[in-house]
Amino acid sequence: MNPATHVLVISADEAWRQEVVQGLNHAGSRLDNPLGLMAVGCACDASALEAVLAAGPMQADLQVVLIDHGARGAESTGAPAVIAAQRIIDARPELSLYMVLEDDSDKLLVEQLASDAIDGYFFRGEQDFNGWFRILAAEVAGKAETPFYDALREYVAQAKDSWHTPGHAGGDSFRGSPWVGDFYDFVGEQMLRADLSVSVPMLDSLLHPTGVIAESQKLAAKAFGAKKTYFATNGTSTANKVIFQTLLAPGDKLLLDRNCHKSVHHGVILSGAMPVYLDSSVNRQYGIFGPVPKATVQAAIEAHPDAKVLILTSCTYDGLRYDLKPIIAMAHAAGIKVIIDEAWYGHARFHPELRPTALESGADYATQSTHKVLSAFSQASMIHVNDPGFDEHLFRENFNMHASTSPQYNLIASLDVARKQAVMEGYRLLDRSLKFAHELREKINATGAFRVLELVDLLPEEVKHDGIRLDPTKLTIDISNSGYSADELRDELIGRYNIQVEKNTHNTLTLLLTIGTTRSKVSRLFDAMLRLAKERRAPRAYVRVPEAPRFTALACLPRDAFYEAGERLALLDEQGQPNAALTGRVCCDQIVPYPPGIPVLVPGQVIEANIVAYLVRLLQTQKSIDLHGLALVDGELHLRVLSEAERAALPAR
Ligand SMILES: Cc1ncc(COP(=O)(O)O)c(C=O)c1O
């Protein structure tokens, strides 16, 4: 399918506008026009922003806006055009913006007001429409480029003989095999032929990019509003660790949400940093962890002005996102760098309803699982950097410490393509997802048995006034009125209706809408929910989950505890009760119940009786819980703790 591209010509001067639209379209009909560029006109008033935000399903994707600054002396010259430019940049920064000026003296004013977001200028007097068309077409083609993916396709098409890794040699080891030939057919020939390695110089090197990977990363940086972007093929889990090791030396102080993803806690161990844990808010009714209250962050910054880094997660798994600007400003005022884990928010840049992004709010680093919400393959993530003091050499050393020397090239290509898609059609697709989310909310609520939780339902009391917002593409449904348990409902959806949800807690189901959500999926989901609602059973009481204990204290740096051999103590005593011998001991591992995936203990933390009791209660009351970090000794669950001698030898925190 060929793309269709709109160029929006905005001018208060109707005659001029028509002339330009006709001139550009005439040029487009005569010149090479593979991207289907077509000019459309619009007055320089409120309708301009409406045109920029229109995203009907049949519409061509708008890529370029051409704004007429106006003729000298004309009534509507200047300011309205610059205001329109600023509004458009604010709404959709991925669009290319060209200004048409009377002469160079207008340029200063435009540059001052609209910053460096202007991509180019034309002059009113030289109406060279063929020339303008070529420039605009080249601009769109530049954004639509995928340097790495193009090179990969080209190389595969050259059908070179493989005398290098990987061993399947373009799939030849599978092809025709009576035992594993089906894998060749299942994965597909192209995927296997594109599974190449650093032995192919024209495909650049992820560990030292100077060619097509560097070009693709540069395009990604522009798209996501970063100074530098790096592709990571081992997920945001690795991205977080790389940044930690770059910014934090052993003993450096770090402020972090205790409910950060476990990769952040692993980063604490690897970097040797001294963590200051910030307790996040908790929605006790639904067992959902929310953001850290603004006042808690502020107090921590005031109490620890020597901290080097602050890391927060925005948005959370459940879609709660911080009002980041004031928080980042507070941290910066104290000289603290800010990392935002945007694993769940990589799409935000491409729709005004989801912005501002972390970088737009001033973050120094943002890590994004491009695979979670955009079209990249699993494990494909991006690290975006805007840190004014960025030490690229140090970052590179740390990046390479974590990256495989044999990255999967299909993942890199998928990042390139995901970026292109987000820029070229992300707005339209996200707009569709947001409309689906809105529609689903109404329809699911209308069943009477299920209720989609709104921001007010999800927000814990302590962050009610912190300017938190909800990403509407994450739909949390209260199921308690249906009479089904969450496990039963999840099983019904998958067994009877072929629908796999993102996750469930005890009282809720969570659905993730992405740019891959289609109308028919929405309709099948609604149909299933309606049928289940009709079979309604007697409403159940909310399942009260045991409340996670608060953080206790660190006896030493997490890294120091982690690297000791420790000794293993049973979780239960001989009577099957919580083992009292664990009280007061120092944990060596990170103990994480799934769900919700938040560590109850981190290495170096002092264990108290209520924590042991909590872990035991979880195991006894929740069949489906996994407790990560416990050791099995002779079939019994044990915790690794510091021996008395190890503890005495360690420097206290
Ligand atoms: C907040 C957060 N950060 C980081 C990660 C890790 O991302 P990835 O799966 O890309 O490694 C996750 C994964 O679920 C997450 O929820």
Side-chain angles (χ1 to χ4, degrees), residues 559-600:
R559 187 178 69 166
D560 291 343
F562 181 77
Y563 284 122
E564 291 296 341
E567 60 181 337
R568 283 150 216 231
L569 292 190
L571 186 63
L572 298 174
D573 63 17
E574 281 171 5
Q575 284 72 47
Q577 296 302 312
N579 188 356
L582 283 163
T583 304
R585 303 301 294 266
V586 176
C587 194
C588 294
D589 292 312
Q590 181 171 295
I591 310 298
V592 190
Y594 262 82
I598 311 295
V600 169

Side-chain angles (χ1 to χ4, degrees), residues 234-238 240 261 263 313 317 341 343-344 369 371-372 379 381:
N234 202 11
T236 300
S237 303
T238 293
N240 285 337
H261 185 251
S263 59
T313 307
Y317 197 3
D341 181 337
W344 292 100
S369 297
H371 64 94
K372 287 196 198 295
Q379 286 194 22
S381 287

Side-chain angles (χ1 to χ4, degrees), residues 212-294:
V212 282
I213 294 180
E215 283 174 43
S216 295
Q217 292 186 154
K218 214 167 165 183
L219 283 169
K222 183 162 183 347
F224 286 89
K227 286 201 181 94
K228 293 264 180 187
T229 289
Y230 299 86
F231 291 170
T233 55
N234 202 11
T236 300
S237 303
T238 293
N240 285 337
K241 290 174 214 162
V242 169
I243 301 178
F244 267 40
Q245 285 205 172
T246 305
L247 296 181
L248 295 160
D252 278 350
K253 215 181 244 184
L254 156 79
L255 309 179
L256 78 160
D257 176 356
R258 192 171 75 94
N259 294 330
C260 274
H261 185 251
K262 61 183 188 166
S263 59
V264 169
H265 296 277
H266 290 146
V268 172
I269 296 170
L270 290 172
S271 63
M274 174 151 64
V276 174
Y277 296 106
L278 312 179
D279 273 326
S280 49
S281 52
V282 193
N283 181 326
R284 292 195 167 75
Q285 181 168 9
Y286 294 107
I288 289 171
F289 287 95
V292 178
K294 203 185 271 181

